[in-house]
Amino acid sequence: MPLISKRPSRNRRKLLSLALLVSLLMSAPAFAGTVDGAQALARERGCLACHGMLRKQVGPGFAQIAERYRGDAAAPSRLAAKIQGGSVGTWGRVIMPRQPQLSDEEAKALAGWVLSQPPP
């Protein structure tokens, strides 16, 4: 009896790789728009009045926040809740004021953007 390989043929693997590459390339502009949108939202909502991109101003820099929560799977939802509800004590005695005017989607977008910042 001939052995039947469970591996896809070479042509099929190439086709699957090409399909994956095309789907990634097509999604790149959408991701870039989300990142640009979140950064614009941070400017519009005044986040940059207290937070620097890299270093502390009044509150910690966005890169510092990302560094602290890197690898924490629960960080996006927790950070979104802190953005909307405010917090105190996480970064010393500095108060993060509530931002109730932000929708859940906006808070999640901002949290994701902050957490995506490269290390300082």
Side-chain angles (χ1 to χ4, degrees):
M1 284 178 105
L3 292 174
I4 299 174
S5 174
K6 293 188 179 197
R7 292 180 55 190
S9 70
R10 181 179 211 143
N11 287 339
R12 185 163 171 88
R13 285 193 307 258
K14 284 183 181 179
L15 184 61
L16 289 171
S17 296
L18 181 61
L20 177 62
L21 178 62
V22 168
S23 68
L24 287 172
L25 290 173
M26 290 177 65
S27 67
F31 178 74
T34 303
V35 170
D36 291 342
Q39 187 171 9
L41 183 62
R43 282 192 180 99
E44 289 171 17
R45 300 303 178 138
C47 303
L48 296 170
C50 293
H51 298 277
M53 291 301 294
L54 298 175
R55 305 277 179 235
K56 178 180 180 176
Q57 289 178 331
V58 175
F62 295 134
Q64 293 173 306
I65 297 168
E67 185 65 25
R68 177 176 281 189
Y69 294 107
R70 199 168 313 284
D72 181 352
S77 59
R78 237 186 15 251
L79 189 57
K82 286 184 178 194
I83 291 169
Q84 283 184 306
S87 75
V88 65
T90 306
W91 295 88
R93 295 175 52 163
V94 176
I95 297 171
M96 167 68 186
R98 295 180 328 111
Q99 304 297 319
Q101 74 280 9
L102 291 172
S103 69
D104 291 343
E105 293 77 26
E106 290 173 325
K108 288 176 187 174
L110 285 170
W113 175 72
V114 168
L115 294 170
S116 74
Q117 299 305 303

